[in-house]
Amino acid sequence: MTTLKTQIADALKNSMRAKEMATVTVLRGLQAAIKQIEIDERVELDDNRVLAVIEKQIKQRKESIKAFEGANRQDLASKEQAEVEIISQFLPAAMTEEELDSIIAQTILAQEATSMKDMGKVMNSLRPIIAGRADPAQVSAKIKAKLA
């Protein structure tokens, strides 16, 4: 099985061959973000850490989209959206609503969570399961609804 870093490198090579410069720029930025963490921490990132970097990059771009739309700059917002779509191709398949509800219910039972005090416990145990497959904000809202 190929690692995420390998998949990103392969996608970068294919984009360069196809002369898709926008994609090349985004993927180079993604690789640079990964490399920066590896240099700073002197470690080789595994797929879970690479996934965290990818999610962070997507989150930053989504925040930029909101800011650009608020400033009435649709041109810049659509550029950021295109970048989100390029980076999103490296995320695992998203969970369905049913899968998500089921996992949340199982985790609440397993953690014996009964009130909002247990929210952190439930969220922490779900984090590795939902990584890259569900929006943490959406998961958090669902947990709140179940515990309230």
Side-chain angles (χ1 to χ4, degrees):
M1 190 174 128
T2 59
T3 64
L4 270 173
K5 283 179 22 179
T6 309
Q7 290 174 22
I8 293 168
D10 291 344
L12 177 60
K13 287 176 200 164
N14 293 336
S15 300
M16 290 167 89
R17 284 191 195 107
K19 294 186 176 28
E20 297 166 348
M21 296 324 287
T23 305
V24 169
T25 305
V26 173
L27 294 178
R28 279 188 177 147
L30 181 58
Q31 276 189 324
I34 293 167
K35 195 65 159 163
Q36 185 65 52
I37 293 171
E38 289 182 333
I39 290 169
D40 290 348
E41 298 180 13
R42 292 186 174 86
V43 292
E44 181 82 16
L45 295 188
D46 62 351
D47 276 359
N48 288 337
R49 291 287 308 273
V50 172
L51 199 57
V53 173
I54 291 170
E55 287 177 327
K56 185 176 178 191
Q57 294 281 317
I58 290 173
K59 183 179 180 201
Q60 287 173 343
R61 283 172 173 81
K62 285 185 175 175
E63 288 169 0
S64 296
I65 290 169
K66 280 186 188 155
F68 288 140
E69 286 174 345
N72 222 359
R73 291 295 308 265
Q74 200 53 47
D75 55 327
L76 296 173
S78 53
K79 178 183 172 285
E80 293 286 323
Q81 184 58 46
E83 291 180 8
V84 167
E85 288 164 16
I86 292 168
I87 297 172
S88 295
Q89 71 186 358
F90 300 105
L91 292 175
M95 288 182 157
T96 64
E97 289 289 319
E98 294 77 33
E99 280 180 300
L100 197 53
D101 289 338
S102 166
I103 288 172
I104 290 171
Q106 289 169 7
T107 307
I108 287 174
L109 280 175
Q111 295 291 328
E112 296 174 359
T114 53
S115 68
M116 287 304 289
K117 288 190 311 213
D118 304 319
M119 172 92 182
K121 255 192 334 189
V122 174
M123 197 64 193
N124 284 336
S125 58
L126 275 174
R127 216 168 250 121
I129 301 167
I130 64 164
R133 297 188 62 208
D135 178 18
Q138 179 191 11
V139 173
S140 176
K142 285 181 177 283
I143 295 171
K144 279 183 189 152
K146 286 202 185 337
L147 291 178

